[in-house]
Amino acid sequence: MSTFSGLEIAKRALFAQQASLYTTGHNIANANTPGYSRQRVNLEATSPYPYPSVSNGGQAGQVGTGVVGSSIERLRERFLDLQYRGIYKDVGEHEARADALEKVEIIMNEPSDKGFRYVMDEFWNSWQKVSQPSAEYPTRETVIQKGKALTETFNAMDRELKELQQDFDEQIKTRAEQLDTLVKEIASLNKQIGELVPHGYVPNDLYDKRDLLVDKLSKMFDIDVETVAIDVQGKKVDGAVNIKLKQPSVDLVTGNTAADISAEPAAAPSDKLANGNTRHVLNIGGTVLDAANSPVGGEISGLMQSRDTAISSYINKIDTLASNLIKEVNAAHGKNFFSGTGARDIGVAISDPNDVANNSGEPGNNDIAKAVYALKHKSVTFTVGGNNTSTTFDEFTRSIVSTLGNETEAAQNSRENAILITKQIDMSRQSISGVSPDEEMSNMIKFQHAYNAAARTVTVIDEMLDKVINGMGVVGR
């Protein structure tokens, strides 16, 4: 064994502890970096001396030759990533749906004491007062004012619900741009990783960047992620990831190639939003995602369902209620009380209180007012989405409000449950991948002491060699 072997052992120790210190510093520097995974230098003892051989002379045993940092490992659990992405899509979907229904509640001012149902009740109650034999001019004026309050409420709800539907269409367009950027960034990282891995490098920081982007993508879509392994000197190392939308099955990223994603107008000219504007669909590499072929799970699915189903259903319900109210009240009143055809343009056609429930030639006859008030509990056929429902105005109004409340509560519960599960899984991920400053400081002290000891070893061996070189063979001089 060479006289200078001790210096080589000490040198290897210095390099190994130095690499561990630098990696610890890198961890501390990225303690608050989103998506960063804690890294660790794997230290291994180098091959001892001498190697077993027929020509080797016998000796007590093999002598160690030091240490080497064999690799820098990224601490991450793939199974937890799979779990996280599987539930994160539900967060995206339920957040979008809950957001839509909460905004519908705000538009209807429900639940509250002065909301839509209150305005309807006030309108019916004003007719009940007019139906009394002693109803005077001010009472009839109240009917007109309550009618105007109701029509203005209908107008406002119709306008704001259509604006909300337009807003969700704009969100889909924005998400399409974000998706296109995401998949192209992932494909670019695949290319960079593919150029480094075959040469023996393990690009941990690039892996982290890519995993963070895949996490973001998993909130928008329910996806399958396949990692392609690359053989490097007999070891399997992670290479590119291929990402596919589960349902419908569409390739998003394949190796270094990303699908082109854009929002485009729906193909059918009649396929419009409720306000008559263009409704947009998603085009992924030539595959169109719309109401007939919508993605299952994820924020995009939630936005599309909210725009095309949830918000649209309440626009139709409010319009159906208004159109039936116009028809039935005008028929019972004789002279048109309401103008318009639906929630968009409903208005009060009467301006003179004397024209309210005016039974010509029969002063004190309140049959018209009674007939109008009776409509509150009269069974009427309401058609919503092609389905006919026979119920009263009062029950239909209450069903709109109660259904909205139940749907909103269910969406909020689903959102909170999904967020809670996601947080729990992320906590498990962070327990493995997250950086603990206290732990890293402890490691830093440990590696610093080891580095100092290795440096001291160099000094000791240098003194030994100095004694051999300069102190031996000079006796008697």
Side-chain angles (χ1 to χ4, degrees):
M1 190 171 186
S2 169
T3 307
F4 294 94
S5 295
L7 283 177
E8 180 63 24
I9 292 173
K11 184 198 76 173
R12 289 176 178 176
L14 286 171
F15 286 171
Q17 304 309 323
Q18 185 180 57
S20 297
L21 278 168
Y22 288 167
T23 301
T24 301
H26 185 54
N27 287 340
I28 294 172
N30 288 280
N32 296 314
T33 301
Y36 179 78
S37 300
R38 181 166 59 100
Q39 297 179 17
R40 177 181 64 195
V41 177
N42 292 322
L43 301 178
E44 292 182 5
T46 53
S47 300
Y49 180 86
Y51 295 108
S53 171
V54 175
S55 61
N56 284 344
Q59 60 183 61
Q62 292 178 310
V63 179
T65 59
V67 66
V68 65
S70 60
S71 64
I72 299 178
E73 180 184 7
R74 185 176 69 126
L75 300 177
R76 198 169 182 105
E77 178 60 57
R78 186 167 294 179
F79 175 70
L80 292 175
D81 286 341
L82 183 64
Q83 279 191 313
Y84 182 86
R85 292 162 186 165
I87 196 67
Y88 203 29
K89 73 178 188 302
D90 295 334
V91 174
E93 180 178 2
H94 296 313
E95 278 184 343
R97 182 168 176 78
D99 178 54
L101 292 170
E102 286 169 352
K103 288 177 178 176
V104 172
E105 281 191 330
I106 292 172
I107 290 171
M108 291 190 182
N109 198 21
E110 295 287 352
S112 75
D113 295 334
K114 302 292 183 180
F116 171 57
R117 190 169 64 180
Y118 169 82
V119 175
M120 282 290 293
D121 286 341
E122 285 291 289
F123 173 72
W124 293 120
N125 291 339
S126 68
W127 280 103
Q128 183 185 31
K129 293 175 181 178
V130 173
S131 68
Q132 303 303 317
S134 59
E136 300 294 336
Y137 183 93
T139 306
R140 299 176 189 274
E141 172 67 25
T142 299
V143 171
I144 294 178
Q145 296 306 318
K146 297 298 182 181
K148 287 182 177 179
L150 178 61
T151 59
E152 288 171 0
T153 300
F154 271 119
N155 298 157
M157 286 193 301
D158 180 78
R159 180 180 64 256
E160 292 175 17
L161 284 171
K162 289 175 180 177
E163 289 174 354
L164 180 61
Q165 188 183 45
Q166 178 75 60
D167 176 68
F168 270 69
D169 189 72
E170 293 296 327
Q171 287 190 53
I172 291 172
K173 290 166 63 179
T174 301
R175 294 299 184 278
E177 296 175 0
Q178 294 173 350
L179 281 167
D180 190 60
T181 301
L182 273 176
V183 296
K184 284 179 170 52
E185 287 181 355
I186 293 172
S188 175
L189 287 168
N190 277 348
K191 183 175 184 294
Q192 294 176 55
I193 291 169
E195 291 171 347
L196 292 171
V197 170
H199 298 288
Y201 297 105
V202 181
N204 291 322
D205 293 330
L206 293 182
Y207 287 148
D208 285 340
K209 288 181 181 179
R210 187 176 66 184
D211 282 338
L212 181 61
L213 295 177
V214 174
D215 285 349
K216 292 180 179 179
L217 185 61
S218 70
K219 185 179 183 181
M220 296 189 183
F221 281 138
D222 185 12
I223 56 176
D224 269 328
V225 181
E226 176 196 9
T227 303
V228 180
I230 299 176
D231 188 280
V232 181
Q233 300 176 356
K235 294 182 179 180
K236 297 295 184 182
V237 182
D238 289 349
V241 292
N242 295 330
I243 304 175
K244 179 180 290 188
L245 181 62
K246 282 187 179 179
Q247 188 177 349
S249 181
V250 182
D251 289 329
L252 299 175
V253 179
T254 305
N256 303 340
T257 305
D260 290 324
I261 301 177
S262 61
E264 61 183 31
S270 59
D271 196 358
K272 303 287 186 181
L273 298 175
N275 60 6
N277 291 340
T278 300
R279 188 176 73 90
H280 289 85
V281 296
L282 219 59
N283 187 317
I284 303 178
T287 300
V288 174
L289 302 184
D290 56 11
N293 190 36
S294 64
V296 177
E299 186 180 12
I300 299 297
S301 173
L303 290 172
M304 285 186 168
Q305 290 178 19
S306 297
R307 180 194 65 183
D308 300 332
T309 304
I311 299 173
S312 180
S313 70
Y314 286 102
I315 292 175
N316 292 334
K317 286 178 181 179
I318 294 300
D319 190 61
T320 298
L321 178 59
S323 61
N324 277 275
L325 190 67
I326 294 169
K327 175 184 174 183
E328 296 295 333
V329 170
N330 286 350
H333 192 258
K335 182 178 181 180
N336 286 352
F337 181 84
F338 287 122
S339 60
T341 57
R344 181 183 64 84
D345 58 359
I346 185 174
V348 176
I350 292 177
S351 57
D352 185 355
N354 291 316
D355 291 334
V356 175
N358 184 1
N359 198 331
S360 300
E362 299 183 43
N365 189 328
N366 58 358
D367 289 346
I368 292 178
K370 286 182 178 180
V372 174
Y373 176 70
L375 293 176
K376 179 179 181 180
H377 303 291
K378 176 186 175 183
S379 182
V380 178
T381 299
F382 296 90
T383 303
V384 180
N387 298 318
N388 295 330
T389 302
S390 293
T391 186
T392 67
F393 279 103
D394 186 54
E395 290 173 348
F396 190 73
T397 304
R398 293 175 184 274
S399 72
I400 292 175
V401 176
S402 63
T403 300
L404 175 59
N406 292 334
E407 288 182 346
T408 304
E409 183 179 12
Q412 289 172 335
N413 290 337
S414 297
R415 176 185 61 190
E416 297 308 315
N417 289 337
I419 290 174
L420 179 61
I421 296 172
T422 302
K423 285 182 177 179
Q424 291 174 341
I425 296 173
D426 193 47
M427 287 176 63
S428 297
R429 288 207 307 180
Q430 290 302 314
S431 68
I432 297 172
S433 301
V435 176
S436 168
D438 291 338
E439 182 181 353
E440 296 303 321
M441 289 299 296
S442 176
N443 288 336
M444 181 175 289
I445 293 171
K446 178 176 67 175
F447 297 135
Q448 181 187 16
H449 286 329
Y451 185 88
N452 292 340
R456 180 59 183 165
T457 302
V458 173
T459 301
V460 171
I461 294 173
D462 178 64
E463 291 174 355
M464 292 168 57
L465 291 173
D466 178 67
K467 177 60 70 175
V468 171
I469 296 170
N470 299 314
M472 291 179 67
V474 296
V475 179
R477 293 185 183 180

